[in-house]
Amino acid sequence: MYSFLVRYQTPVLLILALGAIVVFGTLAANNAAVSLTEMLIQMTVVVGLYVFIGNSGIVSFGHIGFMCIGAYAAAWASADPAFKEIMLEGLPLFLREGQFPFPVAMAAAIVLPAAAAALFGLAIMRLTGIASSIATFAFLIIVNSVYSNWNSVTAGVSSIIGIPTVVGPWTAFAVASVAILVAYVFQTSRYGLLLRASRDDEVAARASAINVIGMRLLAFVLSAALVGAGGGLYAQFLGILTVDSFYLSLSFIAIAMLVVGGMSSLTGAVLGVVAVTAIVQILRAAERGIPVGSMTWALPSGSQELGLGILLAVILIYRPTGLSGGQEVRLPVRPSSAAAKEQAAIDNRILAARQRS
């Protein structure tokens, strides 16, 4: 039990904190379910983004493209067949005529982006630095262009409707919790440690026979799968999809959340989503107007984007490592008597070995 708590205390604490936020939010306000669900969907996306950016050190501007692929994959699987027969006649027959349940739609939202990442990653994982970041941005442009013009499959710039809205705060919380656990297991695994070694010193990593390209590709595929899962949740939360939703605005917000929290830690990814969501909600309320005596005080339209930009600038200037400082959340765990005895025995053997030498 002691070793389990020591190893997995970070994801457990993060999941418990998120659960407390969901419980408190749903009890405190009747209209908080929508905001909480949006936050948890963004949590899944940003955690997926962290899996690649945080462990590889390569900033990706194109991961929202995988969210788009995942959202449309879920829509193809779960949308009303009557709509698909009319507007999406280019889909395979089994997709046009079938309407699959939530687990199947989510599986499609995970597998299709992962497959796209595997193919695309074979090319761009050989790049480093700004070249790889620009290549990921090019991927976002390609996805947006293809999905905007492939009318028989994506309905082009029109909307896909008839998607069952089955995602609520607890469903989104469950998927976000799995994403946090998967991200933590990966970063503490052998593959995650090798990738982080290549992030800190690529030359030394290659000299140590680390397959840098292979490690990056693995993280890229896993990251795309998690971001695609966020897209699948998004489609089945809104019930309607348009291509323009998955472009620059959403990309900026996702990267801003990761930067504000701290790109180099899982705790930072989670903290950044919560902090930015809270600030955006406050600014939205201020834009709608706050009663002050007999008057209503309101911020001008667009204050959300302005406030988020100011927050990002302040964080980059005064705390470049983000709110988390690049550290994982941990609590001191008091060892049990058995664990203490075991540690004492190990220390005694080490001391005896030193004395003999």
Side-chain angles (χ1 to χ4, degrees):
M1 178 60 71
Y2 172 71
S3 60
F4 176 83
L5 289 176
V6 170
R7 181 172 182 182
Y8 291 102
Q9 62 176 305
T10 294
V12 169
L13 290 172
L14 292 175
I15 292 170
L16 288 176
L18 280 181
I21 291 173
V22 175
V23 171
F24 177 78
T26 52
L27 293 178
N30 294 328
N31 58 350
V34 173
S35 298
L36 286 172
T37 306
E38 287 180 345
M39 183 193 75
L40 291 166
I41 292 172
Q42 290 172 333
M43 184 82 66
T44 303
V45 173
V46 174
V47 167
L49 197 62
Y50 159 77
V51 168
F52 179 69
I53 295 179
N55 291 291
S56 70
I58 298 173
V59 179
S60 171
F61 298 108
H63 265 65
I64 297 303
F66 296 119
M67 186 180 180
C68 178
I69 294 173
Y72 273 83
W76 293 334
S78 62
D80 186 357
F83 174 82
K84 291 188 286 187
E85 287 285 354
I86 298 172
M87 296 295 294
L88 306 178
E89 69 275 7
L91 289 176
L93 184 62
F94 76 96
L95 285 178
R96 289 203 314 270
E97 296 183 348
Q99 187 172 23
F100 300 94
F102 175 76
V104 177
M106 286 301 297
I110 293 171
V111 172
L112 193 59
L119 293 175
F120 183 66
L122 288 173
I124 68 167
M125 290 303 102
R126 300 178 182 277
L127 304 175
T128 57
I130 191 65
S132 58
S133 298
I134 293 174
T136 59
F137 183 63
F139 172 76
L140 177 63
I141 297 174
I142 292 170
V143 170
N144 182 264
S145 298
V146 170
Y147 276 65
S148 296
N149 294 281
W150 202 359
N151 295 321
S152 63
V153 173
T154 65
V157 294
S158 301
S159 300
I160 293 182
I161 61 175
I163 306 170
T165 53
V166 297
V167 173
W170 289 109
T171 304
F173 168 73
V175 177
S177 299
V178 172
I180 290 171
L181 185 59
V182 169
Y184 186 79
V185 169
F186 174 76
Q187 79 173 26
T188 56
S189 68
R190 174 177 178 269
Y191 304 105
L193 294 174
L194 291 176
L195 182 59
R196 293 166 86 88
S198 70
R199 177 199 66 184
D200 296 336
D201 193 331
E202 184 177 346
V203 175
R206 292 183 183 275
S208 302
I210 295 176
N211 184 2
V212 176
I213 296 175
M215 296 301 103
R216 287 177 179 170
L217 182 60
L218 177 62
F220 194 65
V221 172
L222 179 59
S223 175
L226 294 178
V227 173
L233 291 175
Y234 189 75
Q236 296 172 92
F237 165 65
L238 291 180
I240 183 171
L241 280 185
T242 55
V243 178
D244 290 340
S245 301
F246 305 97
Y247 205 39
L248 297 181
S249 177
L250 194 55
S251 298
F252 168 72
I253 291 175
I255 294 175
M257 287 175 169
L258 188 59
V259 171
V260 167
M263 291 193 296
S264 59
S265 72
L266 178 60
T267 301
V270 175
L271 184 59
V273 175
V274 174
V276 171
T277 300
I279 291 171
V280 168
Q281 291 300 320
I282 292 171
L283 292 175
R284 281 181 183 174
E287 285 184 9
R288 290 192 297 266
I290 300 175
V292 180
S294 60
M295 299 183 298
T296 300
W297 180 80
L299 289 175
S301 179
S303 297
Q304 299 176 46
E305 290 77 10
L306 180 61
L308 189 57
I310 293 174
L311 173 65
L312 187 59
V314 170
I315 290 293
L316 289 174
I317 293 171
Y318 294 103
R319 198 171 178 86
T321 55
L323 296 175
S324 67
Q327 303 296 319
E328 300 292 2
V329 60
R330 293 182 181 277
L331 291 177
V333 180
R334 185 176 180 180
S336 64
S337 58
K341 291 179 181 178
E342 182 180 355
Q343 185 62 46
I346 294 173
D347 293 340
N348 290 333
R349 287 197 295 269
I350 294 174
L351 179 60
R354 289 177 177 173
Q355 291 175 348
R356 288 195 298 269
S357 61

